[in-house]
Amino acid sequence: MGRVWRLGLVGHPIGKSLSPAMHEAALAALGLEGSYERFDRVEPEGVHAVLQAVRAGVLDGVNVTLPHKRVAALACDRLDGVASRLGVVNTVRCEGADLIGYNTDVPGLVGAVRDGWRTDARGPALVIGAGGAAYAAVEAARDLGASDIRIWNRTRARAEAMAAVVGGEVYDDVHAAAHAVTLLLQASSHGMDLVGEEAREALAFAREVVQATAATARVVDLVYRPRPTVWVQAATAEGREGRDGLGMLVHQAACAFANWTGQEAPVEVMRRAAEGP
Ligand code: NAP
């Protein structure tokens, strides 16, 4: 009998996570036996127990999601470059006796942008937000070759704290920040789950911001549901190319899968699994 892969996800809440569907589809497509389980854990102790199972070889690897990405970074013995710069880990595996932490959100976003457009960003980029996703977006904008990185967040102090870690220039005015950018990475929760008047206001705000970008700008909304997201609607309405965050979700999962199994991930199979029937 061949190897049986035991993978999983620890976080809370994770009931609606698309990761099990993506990873189980990838295992099946490559003819690998195994499973990807949900470990819904609220307390850090619960996360430590799951990581111990990775160290003991009971699990071959886990993804870590909110709110435990920093706890996981502290629990690892070694971190790869991006995970160590950000202090945030979303993928863990064991090598010898050491737990190694990775951050696949950054290569995931880079992969999604390249996959969507096949070229890198050359002009200025704007990152909206200052939460965990925005840290990854700043790193990704740099990896994509942005000439300069501008940051705008609803709460300026958080943007400043982020820029102190990952770099970038913080703007007060979002329209000035968006002026002539060729890449807009919308990495905040703005526009998520809104209906009625709130949804209309969010779209009007997003359209004004997108209007200020270069006519050739590419807009990536890291939010991925419900589709079409507010910022993808705004991009389309303003004649820009827009993509939602599903591509990033798929590519970060593909990076994690390749990392654990050592095999090239079947990206299109994973995308179909994430998109659902
Ligand atoms: P987070 O750490 O909670 O940060 C939330 C960010 O959104 C903060 O910058 C916050 O600004 C801002 N925000 C919240 N409500 C807002 C509003 N009404 N108007 C303007 N800004 C608002 O969350 P996160 O982990 O960074 O995630 C942010 C988004 O990215 C989520 O929608 C998440 O689903 C998505 N995401 C997608 C992927 C993917 O693979 N596609 C990966 C990670 C995250 P303040 O600082 O002012 O509160």
Side-chain angles (χ1 to χ4, degrees), residues 1 20 33 56 100 127 130 187 211 239 251:
M1 198 174 119
E33 221 182 307
I100 312 177
V127 173
Q211 262 168 29
H251 279 274

Side-chain angles (χ1 to χ4, degrees), residues 182-199:
T182 52
L183 180 67
L184 193 168
L185 301 176
Q186 196 309 107
S188 81
S189 319
H190 178 263
M192 229 171 101
D193 296 329
L194 299 179
V195 287
E197 190 51 30
E198 280 187 328

Side-chain angles (χ1 to χ4, degrees), residues 142-174:
R142 185 168 298 117
D143 287 357
L144 284 161
S147 61
D148 61 284
I149 299 169
R150 307 169 185 177
I151 297 167
W152 181 83
N153 186 48
R154 180 177 63 174
T155 309
R156 185 184 164 104
R158 285 190 79 195
E160 279 169 355
M162 180 174 85
V165 176
V166 289
E169 188 185 351
V170 178
Y171 280 62
D172 268 331
D173 176 23
V174 67

Side-chain angles (χ1 to χ4, degrees), residues 61-202:
V62 286
N63 282 133
V64 183
T65 189
L66 298 177
H68 302 309
K69 290 182 175 187
R70 285 192 191 277
V71 168
L74 293 172
C76 285
D77 303 297
R78 279 189 278 144
L79 300 177
D80 88 328
V82 180
S84 132
R85 270 199 305 285
L86 302 185
V88 172
V89 154
N90 76 334
T91 300
V92 179
R93 72 181 170 95
C94 193
E95 207 176 271
D98 286 353
L99 280 182
I100 312 177
Y102 301 85
N103 185 308
T104 67
D105 279 336
V106 176
L109 181 50
V110 169
V113 171
R114 289 191 175 145
D115 197 18
W117 286 293
R118 313 226 170 262
T119 55
D120 281 3
R122 287 192 195 85
L126 167 62
V127 173
I128 295 181
Y135 279 69
V138 171
E139 291 279 345
R142 185 168 298 117
D143 287 357
L144 284 161
S147 61
D148 61 284
I149 299 169
R150 307 169 185 177
I151 297 167
W152 181 83
N153 186 48
R154 180 177 63 174
T155 309
R156 185 184 164 104
R158 285 190 79 195
E160 279 169 355
M162 180 174 85
V165 176
V166 289
E169 188 185 351
V170 178
Y171 280 62
D172 268 331
D173 176 23
V174 67
H175 303 102
H179 178 69
V181 297
T182 52
L183 180 67
L184 193 168
L185 301 176
Q186 196 309 107
S188 81
S189 319
H190 178 263
M192 229 171 101
D193 296 329
L194 299 179
V195 287
E197 190 51 30
E198 280 187 328
R200 281 190 285 279
E201 280 174 18

